[in-house]
Amino acid sequence: MLKNNSGGYTLTEILMVLSIFLLIVSLSINLYPPYIERMEIKQFVKQFGDDLFYAQQYAISHEQQTTVYMYSDNYKVSSSSGDYTLQRTLPSHITFKNRTLGERIIFNSVGTAITAGIMHVQSKHETYKLTVYIGKGRFKFEKV
């Protein structure tokens, strides 16, 4: 007597697995764009902080005043000789909201911040506060 037992899956089982898979994929696609924007602002804040540190170190190593200019679509690091040592474009959904800091941050030749204050870096979903302290040239970012 022969048994016809192939050990495969039935059509119903395959359709159930595919429907669960499609449900999970369709839910995760809706979560992806906000995740990308959050990661992009985190990366921008980290890069901007590194660039501020670069401007401070440039001022110390070249023994000259260095200024970071912040515009609506980009920011630039400039030395006192007028040369732009660094220029970066802001992503389209990220903006600078000036509070008490103004549109520039100035480091003197020993790396001390001449301008001090607060500025916000904003996107649709998140806001970060940049605080520049007067004195030793320290600054920090914190999520608001």
Side-chain angles (χ1 to χ4, degrees), residues 48-117:
F48 187 54
D50 290 345
D51 290 342
L52 287 176
F53 185 68
Y54 165 77
Q56 186 180 31
Q57 293 302 313
Y58 187 89
I60 294 169
S61 64
H62 289 81
E63 295 181 349
Q64 59 182 332
Q65 181 174 305
T66 305
T67 306
V68 179
Y69 295 98
M70 295 161 291
Y71 303 108
S72 60
D73 62 341
N74 65 22
Y75 65 92
K76 299 175 183 179
V77 176
S78 174
S79 64
S80 61
S81 61
D83 299 331
Y84 287 114
T85 58
L86 179 70
Q87 179 175 353
R88 297 204 195 271
T89 304
L90 271 66
S92 60
H93 64 280
I94 294 176
T95 57
F96 289 130
K97 298 291 183 188
N98 292 326
R99 298 293 182 233
T100 60
L101 189 58
E103 296 179 350
R104 62 186 179 166
I105 301 170
I106 302 170
F107 295 103
N108 66 11
S109 61
V110 293
T112 302
I114 296 173
T115 54

